[in-house]
């Protein structure tokens, strides 16, 4: 996937001759100073030949500046990202294209693109003379271990004359945005509680109720297939009656991300919060691929902009766009200032959410009890509770924390959650399998060891 923008320097960039003269290089200033000095000496000494030399020396940088001032607007530039959305830790290539749209050849061109420091150093390129109508293309790579949206540009262009007397810097107006999304880990297709309530490996047929008229049987409607006419009911009611319609009900999955700042410790790409965000991204993509209608929910009660009431549908032509929209949301998600999970609970208590997958940070006794009640309206509940002791918090700061973590797990499990403790360095793939084993009662443990 690529994304680009094009900008042209134009008359709106003109800063006057004074700005142009300010762009004289050391060589240009030296020639101008030498010419003025020679002219003064020629006037004092009465040397006509020296005066002509002085005028020539002084005129050369001024003429070069005037020519450069007139031709600097005739260069067009564009930028293209390939791709414009990359996972954290992956590289993207930025292609720059410069085109000389004037009738005159350019001098030396020096390009510099502005990039945030997290993407690497600012790239600089030197382009030799570009003929009239000619073009040059260069590229560089950017990489970030931190998710986010990073602006690239504007592109800065330094123009010089053939003699190196004057140098002007101009900025193009166009810029692009590189979106660094969380890493997505492929998950195994295990069977989880509540998964077989629609599409997926198991399907359940349900009524497509559209109102009180949709009873067994219902009246004939224009366009109904005559093969579905229910003749016994037709004879009974004296009008055409058809069998009720049936359609598969798509399984639903809500993925809850705890973003409370007080629930996570540390920062950076290896922090607990970043693991949780990556876990949510992996779960969302996995569920979309399995054909679920997926919804992303945070502790603030907010979801992805543009998301429908039942979330984004998977196994459809729009699933890729839905995944991209949710990845864009996760790319910029940050800690909330909330203290509890009450807003998320209010959203979840409104109806059957199907499968509920939650990624929790630290839970105190009150929040653990509130999280336990979230499973009542779901077809199945899976919770990943991050172990703060192994994610950067000193054990001395939280006395007795292992017992507290076990107590929180016990609270969730007694409420019907399939709950696992997440230590540092664990693989979500292994946890996903462990959740299936715990649900079926095979090898159920409170946590999972990371891969060796």
């Amino acid at each position: 996937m690529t994304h680009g923008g094009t900008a042209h320097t134009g008359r709106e960039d003109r800063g006057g001759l004074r700005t142009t003269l300010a762009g004289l290089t050391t060589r240009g200033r030296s020639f101008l100073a030498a010419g003025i000095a020679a002219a003064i000496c020629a006037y004092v000494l009465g040397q006509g030949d020296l005066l002509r030399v002085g005028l020539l020396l002084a005129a050369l940088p001024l003429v070069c500046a005037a020519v450069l001032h007139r031709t600097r607007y005739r260069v067009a530039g564009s930028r293209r990202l390939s791709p414009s959305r990359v996972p954290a830790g992956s590289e993207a290539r930025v292609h720059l294209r410069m085109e000389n749209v004037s009738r005159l050849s350019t001098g030396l061109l020096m390009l510099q693109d502005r990039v945030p420091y997290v993407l690497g150093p600012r790239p600089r390129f030197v382009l030799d003379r570009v003929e009239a109508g000619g073009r040059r293309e260069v590229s560089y790579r950017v990489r970030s271990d931190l998710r986010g949206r990073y602006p690239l540009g504007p592109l800065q262009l330094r123009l010089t004359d053939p003699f190196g007397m004057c140098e002007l810097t101009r900025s193009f107006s166009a810029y692009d945005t590189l979106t660094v999304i969380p890493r997505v880990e492929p998950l195994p297709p295990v069977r989880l509680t509540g998964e077989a309530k629609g599409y997926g490996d198991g399907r359940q047929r349900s009524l497509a109720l559209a109102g009180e008229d949709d009873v067994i049987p219902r009246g004939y409607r224009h366009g109904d297939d005559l093969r579905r006419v229910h003749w016994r009911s037709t004879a009974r009611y004296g009008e055409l009656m058809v069998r009720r319609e049936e359609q598969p009900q798509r399984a639903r999955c809500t993925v809850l991300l705890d973003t409370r700042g007080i629930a996570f410790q540390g920062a950076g790409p290896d922090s607990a919060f970043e693991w949780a965000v990556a876990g949510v991204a992996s779960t969302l993509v996995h569920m979309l691929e399995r054909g679920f209608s997926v919804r992303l929910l945070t502790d603030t009660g907010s979801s992805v902009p543009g998301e429908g009431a039942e979330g984004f549908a998977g196994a459809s032509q729009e699933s890729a766009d839905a995944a991209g929209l949710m990845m864009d949301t996760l790319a910029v998600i940050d800690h909330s200032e909330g203290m509890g999970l009450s807003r998320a609970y209010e959203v979840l208590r409104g109806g059957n959410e199907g499968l509920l997958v939650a990624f929790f940070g630290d839970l105190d006794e009150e929040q653990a009890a509130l999280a336990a009640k979230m499973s009542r309206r779901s077809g199945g509940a899976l919770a990943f509770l991050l172990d703060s002791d192994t994610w950067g918090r000193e054990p001395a700061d939280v006395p007795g924390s292992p017992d507290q973590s076990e107590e929180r797990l016990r609270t969730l499990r007694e409420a019907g959650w399939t709950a696992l403790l997440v230590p540092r360095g664990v693989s979500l793939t292994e946890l996903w399998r462990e959740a299936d084993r715990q649900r079926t009662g095979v090898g159920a443990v409170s946590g999972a060891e990371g891969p060796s």
Side-chain angles (χ1 to χ4, degrees), residues 46 57 69 87 109 148 152 160 173 218-219 263 294 301 328 378 398 445 450:
L57 291 176
H69 173 74
L109 298 180
L152 299 178
T160 62
S173 59
R218 65 170 177 82
V294 180
D328 289 344
S378 64
V398 189
V445 294

Side-chain angles (χ1 to χ4, degrees), residues 39 50 72 89 116 148 164 184 201 208 242 333 344 371 397 450:
L50 183 59
R72 72 183 188 275
V184 175
D201 293 337
V242 296
I333 201 167
D397 297 337

Side-chain angles (χ1 to χ4, degrees), residues 251-255 283 287 292-295 353-357:
R252 300 174 61 186
C253 175
T254 297
V255 182
T283 303
M287 290 302 178
F292 279 70
S293 291
V294 180
R295 179 172 65 165
E353 300 299 325
L355 177 63
L356 175 61
V357 182

